[in-house]
Amino acid sequence: MKVLLLGSGGREHALAWKLAQSPRLTALFALPGNPGIAAHATCIDGVPLDDHDAIVSICGSHGVDLVVVGPEAPLVEGIADRLAAEGIAVFGPRRAAAQLEGSKLFTKELCKAHDIPTAAFGRFTDAASAREFVRRRGAPIVLKADGLMAGKGVIVATSLEQALEGVDAVFAMGAEGGGFGTEILIEDYLEGEEVSFFCLVDGESVLPFGSAQDHKRAFDGDEGPNTGGMGAYSPAPVFTAEMERRTLTEIIKPTARALADAGCAYRGVLFAGLMITRDGPRLIEYNVRFGDPECQVLMTRLDGDLLPLLEATATGGLGDYTVAMKPDAAITVVMAANGYPGAYARGSRIAGIEAAETVPGVKVFHAGTKRAGEDLVADGGRVLNVTAIGANVAEARERAYDAVARIDWPEGFCRSDIAWRALGE
């Protein structure tokens, strides 16, 4: 098969790395790709991901059999619809189903209509009504801007004063950051431990694809601002077989049925952000693509060929497959540019990746890099994903941080406590 991969981050590098191992792959193209992806694929630059006509044209000229969509924005914008209309198989949901991530309000209303366990909520188009709701519910409470917010647009208010002040801020986030701006979601705060759970869905069949835990805060001890993710590990110990069974029965399968019944069957990877409470799993949010950096640890643990799984998800027949994960644990440590998630500089030189990859079980995925002549330089906030596999979490973490120490990049930083929950620290 000839495959086109859309995206340029660490998630896409992990997908490219795993796809390149498939004996069924005859050619892999990436748009736009990055220097790490270029080791596995032919990168096509100069075409924006929102130029759907150009992407269709590239598929035709390169004889592409399957398009794998990495990031969420093209899916919410309807790239899967456009490709399907041209008879091109695509891994990723169509626009109507992609509302699960494109609109938090869509997802909450779907949960309400189908008794899917999630936090109680209210939706508001004016600040006065929102503040009145906050006064009635009290704190802690969670305020969210609707729309695609790139991991931002959320305030977890621990006091009533913070919540009341946060209402205007969240409306502004939505208006300025890519959300809809005119409506916000306010929901009860859930106590528990967060888990990322992934399933492949072909419209009918649901196939579990593993669990992970992400680390959103910028600094050790879960301090500092929220980020796109500073590290992850898999599997998540809190996500037991019983929690998986309940999540599939109470959350994932009802969602897939509801979308199919509504005429917008889901085809792609469904990423459920969960809170494991004392009453069981509760849905925090859905994402319609692999997580980043969770994808990196999942691909490292996947035992077998990724390509047939993605093809079956796109075209049907997923019920004939199983997903086998290695019993090992995997961890990824994100190296970010100093200042991230605030202002940061681009262009600093990075060396030592080859030395890092001499550590057993280590692979360094590129998340925000580019070439400047012969040099590899930073070109983003989250820049490298140092990923390791080991017999257990402790061994995987030791290997990952050994590799981090071999990378020469003074302008970068990372957390030193990834997987602290799993290790009981």
Side-chain angles (χ1 to χ4, degrees), residues 168-293:
D168 287 336
V170 173
F171 271 115
M173 287 180 198
E176 298 172 7
F180 300 117
T182 58
E183 193 164 12
I184 68 169
L185 170 71
I186 303 178
E187 60 184 25
D188 287 351
Y189 177 81
L190 294 173
E191 293 273 3
E193 192 168 338
E194 288 192 47
V195 168
S196 301
F197 179 50
F198 299 84
C199 292
L200 301 179
V201 184
D202 70 355
E204 296 181 0
S205 299
V206 173
L207 188 59
F209 202 91
S211 67
Q213 280 193 321
D214 187 14
H215 297 63
K216 285 295 185 188
R217 297 284 186 172
F219 308 126
D220 285 7
D222 286 336
E223 299 290 335
N226 270 332
T227 72
M230 293 299 294
Y233 62 97
S234 175
V238 72
F239 199 64
T240 62
E242 173 62 11
M243 283 298 117
E244 179 175 307
R245 183 196 66 78
R246 287 191 59 181
T247 300
L248 288 167
T249 301
E250 300 171 19
I251 297 175
I252 305 296
K253 290 182 178 179
T255 299
R257 282 196 300 269
L259 292 173
D261 291 345
C264 52
Y266 192 95
R267 294 181 180 88
V269 62
L270 186 56
F271 165 10
L274 305 170
M275 186 70 76
I276 307 302
T277 73
R278 59 186 177 185
D279 297 318
R282 298 290 183 269
L283 180 69
I284 300 172
E285 64 180 6
Y286 274 129
N287 296 292
V288 299
R289 34 67 189 183
F290 280 109
D292 189 348

Side-chain angles (χ1 to χ4, degrees), residues 8-148:
S8 62
R11 167 183 49 219
E12 288 76 32
H13 187 183
L15 290 169
W17 171 76
K18 194 63 181 177
L19 285 168
Q21 298 170 31
S22 174
R24 295 187 55 200
L25 185 74
T26 53
L28 179 61
F29 306 97
L31 193 162
N34 65 35
I37 293 171
H40 314 290
T42 300
C43 293
I44 302 169
D45 205 358
V47 176
L49 292 181
D50 61 359
D51 190 342
H52 296 180
D53 288 341
I55 292 171
V56 168
S57 178
I58 287 168
C59 289
S61 60
H62 290 80
V64 168
D65 302 296
L66 174 68
V67 176
V68 177
V69 185
E72 64 275 14
L75 294 167
V76 173
E77 293 165 0
I79 183 61
D81 305 69
R82 182 75 173 84
L83 291 166
E86 300 294 332
I88 302 166
V90 55
F91 177 81
R94 300 190 188 185
R95 184 200 301 265
Q99 289 182 89
L100 284 177
E101 182 166 1
S103 172
K104 299 176 183 69
L105 294 168
F106 172 86
T107 297
K108 295 297 280 192
E109 294 292 354
L110 182 144
C111 290
K112 182 178 179 180
H114 296 276
D115 296 320
I116 295 168
T118 188
F121 70 99
R123 54 189 299 177
F124 303 94
T125 57
D126 68 280
S129 298
R131 280 191 283 267
E132 179 57 32
F133 181 82
V134 166
R135 291 188 185 95
R136 292 199 308 271
R137 304 298 289 193
I141 199 165
V142 182
L143 294 76
K144 297 180 178 180
D146 199 24
L148 291 179

